[in-house]
Amino acid sequence: MTRVFSGIQPTGEQHLGNFLGATRNWAKMQHETDAFFCVVDLHAITIRHDDRAAVRDGSVRLAQMLMAVGLDPEVCTLFVQSHVREHAELSWIMQCNVSYGELSRMTQFKDKSDQHDFISAGLFTYPALQAADILLYDTDEVPVGDDQRQHIEITRDIAERFNYHYGETFVLPEAVIPAAGARVMDLQQPTSKMSKSLDSPKGTVGLLDEPKQIEKKIKSAVTDNDGTVRFEVAEKPGISNLLSILGAATDRDPASLADEYEQYGPLKTDTAAAVIELLEPVQARYRELEADPAETARLLKLGADKAREIANSTMERVRTNVGLLTD
Ligand code: TYM
């Protein structure tokens, strides 16, 4: 059976980009594959948080949101990264098998290091931890949004290099990127992706936003003065973003949706309505789950126990192949 792994950071509010680009697809894939989904709290601490509860509380809230989106801990394996110590251990070995030059070419590092004063070494070696996450589980497929493409490529490069030097050890993973919704853009700055770190509350649709807020944000999305509805990302980023969102929300092709609209107003109205309808059940379910954090903790522990079994056996293979003294 195909093994799937993906991860998501527990800081900041989850937004429409995370949902359409990643988590909604995870909920679909869990039924057809052997799926592992991870709340990557060790990745979140590559940036310093003034409030130490932010990561801890964020992990519980994110796990609840993932279940609200449809992940069923009885069907898939849902766990928190720091609960499975092998992630940190393999990350070190990955750091010893990736070059400074490769890490320097990561666009996410360049973007994030521009946004912070304290640039941790962990932010720089972040892709080595991500490679460890994926390779620990003999992963075949990694469902992610388009912004993670480069991180999956470097994971493959590290795995190939490792297998060449130390003998066949890791499965080479493939990125699985959705046809629509892979790159949801900020509604106010449609040439930048919708992001937790962009600090653009009017341009970001939070998964817990009230319907009225969602409507307001989508109706005030930045467009252009050309007045025709066409799907042309470079020339018409704002309109193309709305078409992509509507396409992803309704399972339609964004380019063919464009033929159904002559004006921007109706496109905005329909996009807002489709997003509100899509998020309504997620919000209702989240409100139920939020009331019982102890149950969430119990489910996460079960997930970690399942994940640890596989991580453990991969690490034994890695330690032997890399040449460490095993007992
Ligand atoms: P993160 O937490 O930034 O995002 C989680 C998932 O959401 C997708 N995403 C988007 N998709 C479409 N449009 C957007 N605007 C948008 N913003 C975010 C991301 O592509 C991602 O799939 N490094 C990863 C977490 C990670 C990981 C892993 C992923 C750690 N280990 C192993 C896969 C496999 C990250 O920061 O995602």
Side-chain angles (χ1 to χ4, degrees), residues 135-186:
L135 300 178
L136 261 182
Y137 297 94
D138 291 336
T139 303
D140 300 299
E141 294 182 356
V142 190
V144 280
D146 187 64
D147 62 336
Q148 294 300 314
R149 207 184 274 276
Q150 203 183 23
H151 286 162
I152 313 307
E153 275 164 19
I154 198 175
T155 300
R156 284 177 66 89
D157 292 345
I158 300 173
E160 264 185 316
R161 178 178 307 136
F162 192 102
N163 288 348
Y164 177 78
H165 285 292
Y166 298 111
E168 215 40 54
T169 309
F170 294 123
V171 172
L172 295 193
E174 302 272 353
V176 176
I177 294 173
R183 200 166 184 83
V184 177
M185 308 307 275
D186 185 276

Coordinates of all heavy atoms in Angstrom, one line a residue, residues 135-186:
L135 N 11.8 10.7 5.3 CA 12.5 9.4 5.0 C 12.3 8.4 6.1 O 12.4 7.2 5.9 CB 14.0 9.7 4.8 CG 14.2 10.7 3.6 CD1 15.7 11.0 3.4 CD2 13.7 10.1 2.2
L136 N 12.0 8.9 7.3 CA 11.8 7.9 8.5 C 10.7 6.9 8.2 O 10.7 5.9 8.8 CB 11.4 8.7 9.7 CG 12.4 9.1 10.8 CD1 11.7 9.8 11.9 CD2 13.2 7.9 11.3
Y137 N 9.8 7.3 7.4 CA 8.6 6.5 7.2 C 8.5 5.7 5.9 O 7.5 5.3 5.5 CB 7.3 7.3 7.4 CG 7.3 7.9 8.9 CD1 7.8 9.1 9.2 CD2 6.9 7.0 9.9 CE1 7.9 9.6 10.5 CE2 6.9 7.5 11.2 CZ 7.5 8.7 11.5 OH 7.6 9.1 12.8
D138 N 9.7 5.6 5.2 CA 9.7 5.0 3.9 C 8.5 5.5 3.0 O 7.8 4.7 2.4 CB 9.5 3.4 4.0 CG 10.8 2.8 4.7 OD1 11.9 3.4 4.6 OD2 10.6 1.8 5.3
T139 N 8.5 6.8 2.9 CA 7.4 7.5 2.3 C 7.4 7.4 0.8 O 8.5 7.7 0.2 CB 7.4 9.0 2.7 OG1 7.3 9.0 4.1 CG2 6.2 9.8 2.1
D140 N 6.3 7.0 0.2 CA 6.2 7.1 -1.3 C 5.7 8.4 -1.8 O 6.2 9.0 -2.8 CB 5.2 6.0 -1.8 CG 5.6 4.6 -1.4 OD1 6.7 4.2 -1.8 OD2 4.8 4.0 -0.6
E141 N 4.7 9.0 -1.1 CA 4.1 10.2 -1.6 C 4.0 11.3 -0.5 O 3.6 10.9 0.6 CB 2.7 10.0 -2.1 CG 2.7 9.1 -3.4 CD 1.4 8.8 -4.0 OE1 0.3 9.3 -3.4 OE2 1.3 8.2 -5.0
V142 N 4.3 12.5 -0.9 CA 4.2 13.6 0.1 C 3.2 14.7 -0.4 O 3.5 15.5 -1.3 CB 5.6 14.3 0.3 CG1 5.5 15.3 1.5 CG2 6.6 13.3 0.5
P143 N 2.0 14.7 0.1 CA 1.0 15.7 -0.4 C 1.2 17.1 0.2 O 1.1 17.2 1.4 CB -0.4 15.1 0.0 CG -0.1 14.2 1.1 CD 1.4 13.7 1.0
V144 N 1.6 18.0 -0.6 CA 1.9 19.4 -0.2 C 1.4 20.4 -1.1 O 1.1 20.1 -2.3 CB 3.5 19.6 0.0 CG1 4.0 18.9 1.2 CG2 4.2 19.0 -1.3
G145 N 1.5 21.7 -0.7 CA 1.2 22.8 -1.6 C 2.5 23.1 -2.4 O 3.6 22.5 -2.1
D146 N 2.4 23.9 -3.4 CA 3.5 24.1 -4.4 C 4.7 24.7 -3.7 O 5.8 24.5 -4.2 CB 2.9 25.1 -5.4 CG 3.9 25.3 -6.6 OD1 4.2 24.4 -7.3 OD2 4.4 26.5 -6.7
D147 N 4.6 25.5 -2.6 CA 5.7 26.1 -2.0 C 6.7 25.1 -1.4 O 7.8 25.4 -1.0 CB 5.3 27.1 -0.9 CG 4.5 26.4 0.2 OD1 3.9 25.4 0.0 OD2 4.5 27.0 1.3
Q148 N 6.3 23.8 -1.2 CA 7.1 22.8 -0.6 C 7.9 22.0 -1.6 O 8.7 21.1 -1.3 CB 6.3 21.9 0.3 CG 5.7 22.6 1.5 CD 6.8 23.2 2.4 OE1 7.8 22.5 2.7 NE2 6.6 24.4 2.8
R149 N 7.7 22.3 -2.9 CA 8.3 21.5 -4.0 C 9.8 21.4 -3.8 O 10.4 20.3 -3.9 CB 8.0 22.2 -5.3 CG 8.0 21.3 -6.5 CD 7.7 22.2 -7.7 NE 6.3 22.5 -8.0 CZ 5.5 21.7 -8.7 NH1 6.0 20.5 -9.1 NH2 4.3 22.0 -8.9
Q150 N 10.5 22.5 -3.5 CA 11.9 22.5 -3.4 C 12.4 21.6 -2.2 O 13.4 21.0 -2.3 CB 12.4 24.0 -3.2 CG 13.8 24.2 -3.6 CD 14.3 25.6 -3.3 OE1 13.7 26.3 -2.5 NE2 15.3 26.0 -4.0
H151 N 11.6 21.6 -1.1 CA 12.0 20.8 0.0 C 11.9 19.3 -0.3 O 12.6 18.5 0.3 CB 11.1 21.2 1.2 CG 11.5 22.5 1.9 ND1 10.7 23.2 2.7 CD2 12.7 23.2 1.7 CE1 11.3 24.3 3.1 NE2 12.5 24.4 2.5
I152 N 10.9 19.0 -1.1 CA 10.8 17.5 -1.5 C 11.9 17.1 -2.4 O 12.5 16.0 -2.3 CB 9.4 17.2 -2.1 CG1 8.3 17.8 -1.3 CG2 9.2 15.7 -2.2 CD1 8.2 17.6 0.2
E153 N 12.3 18.1 -3.3 CA 13.4 17.8 -4.2 C 14.7 17.6 -3.4 O 15.5 16.6 -3.7 CB 13.6 18.9 -5.2 CG 12.7 18.7 -6.4 CD 12.5 19.9 -7.3 OE1 13.3 20.8 -7.2 OE2 11.5 19.9 -8.0
I154 N 15.0 18.4 -2.5 CA 16.2 18.3 -1.7 C 16.2 17.0 -0.9 O 17.2 16.3 -0.7 CB 16.5 19.5 -0.8 CG1 18.0 19.5 -0.4 CG2 15.7 19.6 0.4 CD1 18.5 20.8 0.3
T155 N 15.0 16.6 -0.4 CA 14.9 15.3 0.3 C 15.2 14.1 -0.6 O 16.0 13.2 -0.2 CB 13.4 15.1 0.8 OG1 13.1 16.2 1.6 CG2 13.2 13.8 1.5
R156 N 14.8 14.2 -1.8 CA 15.1 13.1 -2.8 C 16.7 13.1 -3.0 O 17.3 12.1 -3.1 CB 14.4 13.3 -4.1 CG 13.0 13.0 -4.1 CD 12.4 13.3 -5.5 NE 12.9 12.5 -6.6 CZ 12.4 11.3 -6.9 NH1 11.4 10.8 -6.3 NH2 13.0 10.6 -7.9
D157 N 17.2 14.3 -3.2 CA 18.7 14.4 -3.5 C 19.5 13.8 -2.3 O 20.4 13.1 -2.5 CB 19.1 15.9 -3.7 CG 18.5 16.4 -4.9 OD1 18.1 15.7 -5.8 OD2 18.5 17.7 -5.1
I158 N 19.0 14.1 -1.1 CA 19.8 13.6 0.1 C 19.6 12.1 0.2 O 20.6 11.3 0.4 CB 19.2 14.2 1.4 CG1 19.4 15.7 1.4 CG2 19.9 13.6 2.6 CD1 18.8 16.4 2.6
A159 N 18.4 11.6 -0.1 CA 18.1 10.1 0.0 C 19.0 9.4 -1.1 O 19.6 8.4 -0.8 CB 16.7 9.9 -0.2
E160 N 19.0 10.0 -2.3 CA 19.8 9.3 -3.4 C 21.3 9.3 -3.0 O 21.9 8.2 -3.2 CB 19.6 10.1 -4.7 CG 18.6 9.5 -5.5 CD 18.5 10.2 -6.9 OE1 18.5 11.5 -6.9 OE2 18.3 9.5 -7.9
R161 N 21.8 10.4 -2.5 CA 23.2 10.4 -2.1 C 23.5 9.4 -1.0 O 24.5 8.7 -1.0 CB 23.5 11.9 -1.7 CG 24.9 12.0 -1.2 CD 25.2 13.5 -0.8 NE 24.9 14.4 -1.9 CZ 24.2 15.5 -1.7 NH1 23.8 15.9 -0.5 NH2 23.9 16.3 -2.7
F162 N 22.6 9.4 0.0 CA 22.8 8.5 1.1 C 22.8 7.0 0.6 O 23.7 6.2 1.0 CB 21.7 8.7 2.1 CG 21.9 8.0 3.5 CD1 22.4 8.8 4.6 CD2 21.7 6.7 3.6 CE1 22.6 8.2 5.8 CE2 21.9 6.1 4.8 CZ 22.4 6.8 5.9
N163 N 21.8 6.7 -0.2 CA 21.7 5.3 -0.7 C 23.0 4.9 -1.5 O 23.5 3.8 -1.4 CB 20.5 5.1 -1.6 CG 19.2 5.1 -0.8 OD1 19.2 5.0 0.4 ND2 18.1 5.2 -1.5
Y164 N 23.5 5.9 -2.2 CA 24.7 5.7 -3.0 C 25.9 5.4 -2.1 O 26.7 4.4 -2.4 CB 25.0 6.9 -4.0 CG 26.2 6.8 -4.8 CD1 26.2 6.0 -5.9 CD2 27.4 7.5 -4.4 CE1 27.4 5.9 -6.7 CE2 28.5 7.3 -5.2 CZ 28.5 6.6 -6.3 OH 29.7 6.4 -7.1
H165 N 26.1 6.2 -1.1 CA 27.3 6.1 -0.2 C 27.2 4.9 0.8 O 28.1 4.3 1.1 CB 27.6 7.4 0.5 CG 28.1 8.4 -0.4 ND1 29.4 8.3 -0.9 CD2 27.6 9.6 -0.9 CE1 29.7 9.3 -1.7 NE2 28.6 10.1 -1.7
Y166 N 26.0 4.8 1.3 CA 25.8 3.8 2.5 C 25.0 2.6 2.1 O 24.7 1.8 3.0 CB 25.2 4.6 3.6 CG 26.0 5.7 4.2 CD1 25.5 7.0 4.0 CD2 27.2 5.5 4.8 CE1 26.3 8.1 4.5 CE2 27.9 6.6 5.3 CZ 27.5 7.9 5.1 OH 28.2 8.9 5.6
G167 N 24.6 2.5 0.9 CA 23.8 1.3 0.5 C 22.3 1.6 0.6 O 21.9 2.6 1.3
E168 N 21.5 0.9 -0.1 CA 20.1 1.1 -0.2 C 19.4 1.2 1.2 O 19.4 0.3 2.0 CB 19.5 -0.1 -1.0 CG 18.3 0.1 -1.9 CD 18.4 1.4 -2.7 OE1 19.4 1.7 -3.4 OE2 17.4 2.2 -2.6
T169 N 19.0 2.4 1.5 CA 18.4 2.6 2.9 C 17.0 3.3 2.8 O 16.1 2.9 3.5 CB 19.4 3.5 3.7 OG1 20.7 3.0 3.6 CG2 18.9 3.6 5.2
F170 N 16.9 4.3 1.9 CA 15.7 5.1 1.9 C 14.9 4.9 0.7 O 15.4 4.7 -0.4 CB 16.0 6.6 2.1 CG 16.7 6.9 3.4 CD1 17.9 7.6 3.4 CD2 16.0 6.7 4.6 CE1 18.5 7.9 4.6 CE2 16.6 7.0 5.8 CZ 17.8 7.6 5.8
V171 N 13.6 5.0 0.8 CA 12.6 5.1 -0.3 C 12.7 6.5 -0.9 O 12.7 7.5 -0.1 CB 11.2 4.7 0.1 CG1 10.2 5.0 -1.0 CG2 11.2 3.3 0.6
L172 N 12.7 6.7 -2.2 CA 12.7 8.1 -2.8 C 11.2 8.6 -2.9 O 10.4 8.0 -3.6 CB 13.3 8.1 -4.2 CG 14.8 7.8 -4.3 CD1 15.3 8.1 -5.7 CD2 15.6 8.5 -3.3
P173 N 10.9 9.6 -2.2 CA 9.5 10.1 -2.2 C 9.2 11.0 -3.4 O 10.1 11.6 -3.9 CB 9.5 10.9 -0.9 CG 10.9 11.5 -0.7 CD 11.8 10.5 -1.4
E174 N 7.9 11.1 -3.7 CA 7.4 12.0 -4.8 C 6.5 13.0 -4.1 O 5.7 12.7 -3.3 CB 6.5 11.2 -5.7 CG 7.1 10.1 -6.4 CD 7.8 10.4 -7.7 OE1 7.7 11.6 -8.1 OE2 8.4 9.5 -8.3
A175 N 6.6 14.3 -4.6 CA 5.6 15.3 -4.1 C 4.3 15.1 -4.8 O 4.3 14.7 -6.0 CB 6.1 16.7 -4.5
V176 N 3.2 15.2 -4.1 CA 1.9 15.2 -4.8 C 1.2 16.6 -4.6 O 0.9 17.0 -3.4 CB 1.0 14.1 -4.1 CG1 -0.4 14.1 -4.8 CG2 1.6 12.7 -4.3
I177 N 1.1 17.3 -5.7 CA 0.6 18.7 -5.6 C -0.7 18.8 -6.3 O -0.9 18.3 -7.4 CB 1.7 19.6 -6.2 CG1 2.9 19.5 -5.3 CG2 1.2 21.1 -6.3 CD1 4.2 20.2 -5.7
P178 N -1.7 19.4 -5.6 CA -3.1 19.4 -6.3 C -3.2 20.2 -7.5 O -2.4 21.2 -7.7 CB -4.0 20.0 -5.2 CG -3.1 20.7 -4.3 CD -1.7 20.1 -4.4
A179 N -4.1 19.9 -8.4 CA -4.2 20.6 -9.7 C -4.7 22.0 -9.4 O -4.3 23.0 -10.0 CB -5.2 19.9 -10.6
A180 N -5.7 22.2 -8.5 CA -6.2 23.5 -8.1 C -6.0 23.8 -6.7 O -6.2 22.8 -5.9 CB -7.7 23.7 -8.5
G181 N -5.6 25.0 -6.3 CA -5.4 25.3 -4.9 C -4.0 25.1 -4.3 O -3.7 25.2 -3.2
A182 N -3.0 24.7 -5.2 CA -1.7 24.4 -4.8 C -0.9 25.7 -4.4 O 0.1 25.6 -3.7 CB -0.9 23.8 -5.9
R183 N -1.4 26.8 -4.8 CA -0.7 28.1 -4.5 C -1.8 29.2 -4.3 O -2.1 29.9 -5.2 CB 0.2 28.4 -5.6 CG 1.3 29.4 -5.2 CD 2.4 29.5 -6.1 NE 3.4 30.4 -5.6 CZ 4.4 30.0 -4.7 NH1 4.4 28.8 -4.3 NH2 5.2 30.9 -4.2
V184 N -2.4 29.2 -3.2 CA -3.4 30.2 -2.9 C -2.7 31.5 -2.5 O -1.8 31.5 -1.7 CB -4.4 29.8 -1.7 CG1 -5.4 30.8 -1.4 CG2 -5.1 28.4 -2.0
M185 N -3.1 32.6 -3.2 CA -2.3 33.8 -3.0 C -3.1 34.7 -2.0 O -4.3 34.6 -1.8 CB -2.2 34.5 -4.4 CG -1.6 33.7 -5.5 SD 0.0 32.9 -5.0 CE 1.1 34.2 -5.4
D186 N -2.3 35.7 -1.5 CA -2.9 36.6 -0.5 C -3.9 37.5 -1.3 O -3.6 37.9 -2.4 CB -1.7 37.5 0.0 CG -2.2 38.5 1.1 OD1 -2.7 39.6 0.7 OD2 -2.1 38.1 2.2

